[in-house]
Amino acid sequence: EMQGTCWGRLLASPLARGRVAASIRSAAQRTGQQATAFWGNQRPVSSFSSWSVRVPRASLAVAEQSNNVRACSPWTSGVVAEGMRLLSTGRPDHPDQVTIGKLKDNQGARKKKKRLGRGIGGGLGKTSGRGHKGQLSRSGGRGGRRGFEGGQNPLKARIPKHGFKNKKHAYFALLDVINLKKLFVWIKAGRLDTTQMITMKHLRDNGCISKTILKGVKLLATGKEDVDRAIHIEVSDASQEAIKAVEAAGGTVKLGYYNRLGLRAHFKPEKFTIIPRRAAPPPRLAWKYPLHYKDVQAQLEQRKAAQ
């Protein structure tokens, strides 16, 4: 009979210690020998526990080596490994112990797929529950398009038309909105420079408006009492009250038309080797931007002077 002490990472509860001791005794009894196991300290430091084992040499080969056990002498590691293996895998006399093999979904969490056309034994074979012929048996025959009433005159066609859409104002309905109150919050915070012309690019780069602008920006008069200094701003549209409030403080509001290409060149000029010339507004919007053609002529003169 030999004696040795080994250390392993085990649970610090009395139940765990009892299980390991019982496993060691059962491993020794398989060879017809006797063994005793006792704990060296009842309160282990950190998560390591130490214990002493007394077993005969004949019962040392009953278990395989384990990487989770570090023993002072190699003859004790096999017995302790057997105890740790039984402890980690669970015992049949503890059915409430949670293991990987017992994990499963709640009842009704997974619904079985409806299997069609797999024979009469499944209940939905042959015609798959659709019956014989007709529109409802065809592919897509049950869904149909929205508003379809089986071929008769649908409701949207039975009701008379009313009203109209003003194409002249469809462009302005897609403009992003900014009011004077928010604009002067940015100015007072020092995020916008009032010594130069404030453009839509400045508003976009400083986070004052959204990054995704479809057509342009419209300036509204909400917060016009906050206008306490002169500003010069260029936007796609502005209300009459907003223009009066800015001009009353000594500023100016310039309206400029930008198409899709013009907006991209305005917001991201680094994407272009040559900045394209701004497009003229369509005839239906010419009344809104009467100064556009003068601006284009000034741009052409500036380019000629630069060349």
Side-chain angles (χ1 to χ4, degrees), residues 74-265:
W75 63 270
T76 59
S77 60
V79 180
V80 178
E82 175 71 4
M84 293 188 65
R85 183 180 65 79
L86 294 176
L87 179 63
S88 61
T89 56
R91 297 174 62 87
D93 56 344
H94 294 282
D96 296 335
Q97 185 176 359
V98 179
T99 59
I100 295 179
K102 295 182 180 179
L103 296 178
K104 61 180 181 179
D105 290 325
N106 295 330
Q107 188 69 25
R110 290 180 177 267
K111 186 178 180 180
K112 291 185 178 180
K113 182 181 178 181
K114 189 177 181 180
R115 303 179 76 243
L116 304 176
R118 296 299 186 270
I120 59 175
L124 294 174
K126 193 183 175 184
T127 56
S128 302
R130 295 189 178 190
H132 292 277
K133 301 182 182 179
Q135 180 180 357
L136 298 182
S137 68
R138 313 303 180 186
S139 176
R142 292 178 178 271
R145 65 178 183 271
R146 183 178 299 177
F148 181 68
E149 298 182 8
Q152 71 178 16
N153 198 23
L155 179 64
K156 65 178 182 179
R158 298 196 299 268
I159 297 176
K161 297 179 181 179
H162 67 281
F164 70 100
K165 292 183 178 180
N166 192 339
K167 294 184 179 180
K168 291 183 179 180
H169 292 195
Y171 167 80
F172 301 103
L174 298 176
L175 297 178
D176 287 43
V177 175
I178 182 176
N179 51 54
L180 290 174
K181 183 176 182 179
K182 184 176 181 180
L183 179 64
F184 272 84
V185 168
W186 253 250
I187 292 175
K188 293 177 181 178
R191 302 179 66 175
L192 291 174
D193 186 10
T194 58
T195 60
Q196 59 180 352
M197 175 72 72
I198 300 175
T199 63
M200 293 185 293
K201 176 176 173 57
H202 296 147
L203 300 176
R204 182 178 181 271
D205 293 344
N206 288 278
C208 193
I209 56 177
S210 173
K211 295 286 185 181
T212 57
I213 300 176
L214 296 178
K215 297 294 184 180
V217 179
K218 182 175 182 179
L219 182 64
L220 298 182
T222 303
K224 58 184 179 181
E225 60 276 1
D226 296 336
V227 180
D228 57 355
R229 68 191 72 181
I231 61 171
H232 305 278
I233 186 171
E234 180 189 21
V235 289
S236 300
D237 192 15
S239 64
Q240 294 298 326
E241 291 294 328
I243 295 176
K244 291 180 181 178
V246 173
E247 292 180 348
T252 57
V253 177
K254 181 180 179 182
L255 303 183
Y257 172 79
Y258 291 88
N259 61 356
R260 185 175 181 180
L261 179 62
L263 273 179
R264 188 167 185 269

Side-chain angles (χ1 to χ4, degrees), residues 36-53:
T36 58
F38 58 92
W39 298 94
N41 55 337
Q42 297 296 328
R43 301 183 64 180
V45 180
S46 300
S47 59
F48 288 91
S49 301
S50 62
W51 65 93
S52 299
V53 183

